[in-house]
Amino acid sequence: MPQESVRQDSQVVQVGARTPLPLEFSVELDASSDLAFDESRADALLTIRARPTSDPPAETAAAEVLIMDKSLSMAGSGKLNEAKRAMCAAVDALRDGTYLGIVAGNHEAEVIYPPDGGLARVDAAVREAARNRVLVQLPGGGTAIGKWLTRADALFATAPVPASGTVRHAVLYTDGKNEHETSEQLDEALAACADRFVCDVRGLGDDWQYDELLRITGALHGTARAVVEISDLTGDFTRLMQQARRILVPRVYLGLGLSSLFRLGFVRQTRPVEADLTGQRQERDGEIHIPLGAWPPEDRQYHVSLRFDPDALPVEEEVRAARVTLRAERADASREPCADTQALIVRRRATPDFRFNPPPSLTQAESLRELGMAMRACADAAQNERWPEADRELALALELAAILGDTERLALLRKVSSIGPDGRPRVRQGMSRGYIQLIGLESARTGAPDSDPVDKTQLPPEGGGPVRRECPRCHAVTTAARPRHCEECGYAFADGAGGAGGQGAGAQGAGAEGSAPEGPGESEGLSRAGGSGRAQGSGRTPGSDRAGDGGPVDAS
């Protein structure tokens, strides 16, 4: 029998399995329906939008675990005292009725509140007791983030409300590298925590490692940010708690029903942050389920890529490659559709060597990924003092950021660059390690779909458009404004291969003191692609209801 949502002493009580969701979801599918004769992959870009169903939106039961780094490195520069202020501010910002636990971590993980373990329901007395426990912590020991996350997971399991209908959110900060456990141990912890709670991570100061933070947030669907000035942590943690209160649906899944002719290549989140979700796939009820984390009212974008044997696909015949169903987990752990099902329809054309450009949105997604890879390569090279390589990657990143109109990352890249005697941008010498890490960390932040500044209806300049490159190692084809790496295996293309310019081409003068182009200009822009179809709410792409053979063939 369905339960009712009631409030008791400011507590949000678990809702029943059939209670309407507090968010209304929609799915837009953008894909090219035409495939070249010898093509072996089909790609689609999914934009998922979530809007509240009431104003103000109903609140959802929540559990919060705060993770503080108390390792010995926190003893210097007043870092631990500032971190304690931030933790106390986070406690104060929690909504009454939230279930709270606090973990203090070094090379071990200690539950410091509640002192007898479990989670405590927040009220005024709980806040005061939690703050007192935070304030008496002393620095010491090393860093083992995997243990911290594992302990947080165990705390969430003690919540007196069902996991299926409860927002489980954690936040941690660290000021150093994860030196007291192996990379494999961290990966094991992340795999065990995946799809159990979401976690936001902050790098404090400049001694942390950006790739470790991105691994955590990629697995746990959180955000990673740098807090270079220690005094900024309090305001950041307060905002994090306010943002966590906006989460209304604890778990959402992308359900993919593939036909027998197709297999999954990858699923990547492309906006507002980049993350490869392929390794989180689950098999359930004949579908592949990809966890998409917890949702507030916002928009996100995903790139889905399928593989197939071209010889097995009929020619000049519409085929349903996949059904795309967005599913929300309910209080009884069922995963029910929460938006209209979409169909990815493809047609293999009969003309050999005839190429179809992908939709501009997919080309842009690939270019965003290239930008992120260039930023990470620049950060890695600078960190290891490989300056010529860092300069080349910086020039490429500046060029791509300008082409894409990514003003925020363009501004960051200009801050860390100067103009060399040859007129080309170079990484500033003497730049702090924190800024190098910031370049790597910001490589994954792409912005919300609605903030996309690129006018997709604008034709590129003459001779421009997306560039196709075939990988000499795995023979996959990558299409982007500046394809420099194979999308499939990560192979770095040689300068000038596949019809693209050399590394950093066109980037001259794009440094801090230079004037980088703000749009396509003389660089290659995004093309207007034909054969693209967009479906919203109808469950079909254009052409799926064509006359003749009665509609698309279901290859399953």
Side-chain angles (χ1 to χ4, degrees), residues 91-92 94 98-102 113-114 119-133:
V91 170
D92 288 339
L94 290 172
T98 300
Y99 289 93
L100 170 66
I102 302 178
Y113 189 81
L119 297 174
R121 196 175 72 181
V122 171
D123 57 22
V126 164
R127 288 192 184 91
E128 182 179 4
R131 289 194 301 265
N132 290 338
R133 289 291 294 162

Side-chain angles (χ1 to χ4, degrees), residues 18-40:
R18 303 283 83 79
T19 302
L21 292 173
L23 290 178
E24 181 178 5
F25 289 90
S26 65
V27 179
E28 302 167 11
L29 186 150
D30 197 11
S32 176
S33 57
D34 290 317
L35 300 176
F37 179 80
D38 57 349
E39 185 61 85
S40 61

Side-chain angles (χ1 to χ4, degrees), residues 156-290:
F156 281 123
T158 67
V161 287
S164 299
T166 303
V167 173
R168 291 178 165 187
H169 178 260
V171 58
L172 73 82
Y173 70 84
T174 182
D175 78 324
K177 304 180 188 70
N178 195 41
E179 294 180 326
H180 287 79
E181 62 185 6
T182 65
S183 178
E184 291 75 19
Q185 287 174 318
L186 176 58
D187 284 339
E188 289 174 3
L190 291 174
C193 295
D195 199 28
R196 295 177 63 82
F197 62 93
V198 296
C199 184
D200 294 314
V201 185
R202 296 298 183 258
L204 191 59
D206 59 9
D207 288 332
W208 42 274
Q209 196 70 24
Y210 83 85
D211 55 343
E212 291 177 348
L213 270 58
L214 292 181
R215 283 165 63 193
I216 296 167
T217 55
L220 303 182
H221 300 275
T223 63
R225 296 285 187 274
V227 183
V228 180
E229 297 296 331
I230 309 301
S231 58
D232 293 338
L233 187 63
T234 296
D236 184 75
F237 265 34
T238 301
R239 286 189 295 272
L240 278 176
M241 295 302 99
Q242 293 169 345
Q243 292 167 6
R245 293 176 63 165
R246 298 179 63 244
I247 299 175
L248 300 178
V249 178
R251 289 185 181 85
V252 175
Y253 299 85
L254 181 64
L256 300 174
L258 305 186
S259 83
S260 59
L261 298 178
F262 293 80
R263 65 187 185 278
L264 182 63
F266 62 77
V267 176
R268 297 187 185 123
Q269 180 172 309
T270 60
R271 289 184 180 273
V273 295
E274 289 185 327
D276 192 334
L277 308 180
T278 315
Q280 300 183 35
R281 61 181 288 172
Q282 304 171 4
E283 305 289 338
R284 180 157 173 162
D285 299 329
E287 282 187 339
I288 296 173
H289 284 196
I290 304 293

Side-chain angles (χ1 to χ4, degrees), residues 282-305:
Q282 304 171 4
E283 305 289 338
R284 180 157 173 162
D285 299 329
E287 282 187 339
I288 296 173
H289 284 196
I290 304 293
L292 304 184
W295 279 70
E298 69 175 15
D299 301 336
R300 301 180 193 172
Q301 212 164 60
Y302 301 88
H303 183 180
V304 177
S305 185

Side-chain angles (χ1 to χ4, degrees), residues 446-467:
T446 52
D450 285 343
S451 67
D452 177 8
V454 177
D455 181 1
K456 297 182 179 62
T457 66
Q458 186 179 27
L459 285 171
E462 185 176 353
V467 176

Side-chain angles (χ1 to χ4, degrees), residues 36 39 355-358 466-470 477-480 483 497-500:
E39 185 61 85
R355 295 296 175 186
F356 296 90
N357 282 334
V467 176
R468 294 171 57 89
R469 280 192 167 182
E470 181 175 346
V477 174
T478 298
T479 303

Side-chain angles (χ1 to χ4, degrees), residues 184-540:
E184 291 75 19
Q185 287 174 318
L186 176 58
D187 284 339
E188 289 174 3
L190 291 174
C193 295
D195 199 28
R196 295 177 63 82
F197 62 93
V198 296
C199 184
D200 294 314
V201 185
R202 296 298 183 258
L204 191 59
D206 59 9
D207 288 332
W208 42 274
Q209 196 70 24
Y210 83 85
D211 55 343
E212 291 177 348
L213 270 58
L214 292 181
R215 283 165 63 193
I216 296 167
T217 55
L220 303 182
H221 300 275
T223 63
R225 296 285 187 274
V227 183
V228 180
E229 297 296 331
I230 309 301
S231 58
D232 293 338
L233 187 63
T234 296
D236 184 75
F237 265 34
T238 301
R239 286 189 295 272
L240 278 176
M241 295 302 99
Q242 293 169 345
Q243 292 167 6
R245 293 176 63 165
R246 298 179 63 244
I247 299 175
L248 300 178
V249 178
R251 289 185 181 85
V252 175
Y253 299 85
L254 181 64
L256 300 174
L258 305 186
S259 83
S260 59
L261 298 178
F262 293 80
R263 65 187 185 278
L264 182 63
F266 62 77
V267 176
R268 297 187 185 123
Q269 180 172 309
T270 60
R271 289 184 180 273
V273 295
E274 289 185 327
D276 192 334
L277 308 180
T278 315
Q280 300 183 35
R281 61 181 288 172
Q282 304 171 4
E283 305 289 338
R284 180 157 173 162
D285 299 329
E287 282 187 339
I288 296 173
H289 284 196
I290 304 293
L292 304 184
W295 279 70
E298 69 175 15
D299 301 336
R300 301 180 193 172
Q301 212 164 60
Y302 301 88
H303 183 180
V304 177
S305 185
L306 307 182
R307 301 292 183 267
F308 60 90
D309 178 4
D311 294 334
L313 210 60
V315 175
E316 297 296 346
E317 190 173 346
E318 288 188 334
V319 174
R320 183 181 292 112
R323 291 186 178 89
V324 180
T325 306
L326 193 67
R327 298 182 178 275
E329 186 176 74
R330 308 305 297 251
D332 61 357
S334 64
R335 299 176 182 178
E336 296 186 353
C338 57
D340 291 339
T341 296
Q342 304 291 316
L344 175 58
I345 307 296
V346 298
R347 181 195 293 265
R348 180 190 178 203
R349 293 301 186 178
T351 306
D353 301 324
F354 191 87
R355 295 296 175 186
F356 296 90
N357 282 334
S361 61
L362 277 170
T363 301
Q364 187 189 50
E366 289 300 327
S367 298
L368 282 169
R369 185 165 181 265
E370 285 288 329
L371 171 57
M373 294 177 73
M375 291 177 68
R376 289 189 290 276
C378 176
D380 292 341
Q383 188 169 266
N384 292 283
E385 299 184 349
R386 301 193 304 269
W387 300 114
E389 179 184 346
D391 293 343
R392 290 194 302 270
E393 296 294 345
L394 174 65
L396 174 60
L398 282 163
E399 183 182 15
L400 285 169
I403 291 173
L404 292 164
D406 193 329
T407 55
E408 289 191 16
R409 289 194 285 186
L410 184 60
L412 170 63
L413 292 167
R414 285 174 169 169
K415 284 182 180 179
V416 302
S417 64
S418 61
I419 299 300
D422 58 357
R424 293 183 176 273
R426 293 184 175 182
V427 177
R428 287 186 184 276
Q429 299 296 306
M431 184 174 55
S432 71
R433 186 181 187 278
Y435 264 108
I436 294 175
Q437 295 301 308
L438 183 60
I439 295 171
L441 199 63
E442 292 297 296
S443 69
R445 190 149 69 100
T446 52
D450 285 343
S451 67
D452 177 8
V454 177
D455 181 1
K456 297 182 179 62
T457 66
Q458 186 179 27
L459 285 171
E462 185 176 353
V467 176
R468 294 171 57 89
R469 280 192 167 182
E470 181 175 346
C471 177
R473 183 164 68 187
C474 72
H475 303 291
V477 174
T478 298
T479 303
R482 287 286 190 272
R484 301 309 306 269
H485 301 84
C486 173
E487 179 192 46
E488 193 73 20
C489 68
Y491 175 83
F493 296 130
D495 288 352
Q503 202 155 17
Q508 186 169 349
E513 289 89 359
S515 55
E518 294 299 333
E522 295 181 357
S523 303
E524 293 173 6
L526 300 177
S527 73
R528 186 201 306 272
S532 120
R534 179 180 297 275
Q536 181 175 2
S538 65
R540 299 182 178 182

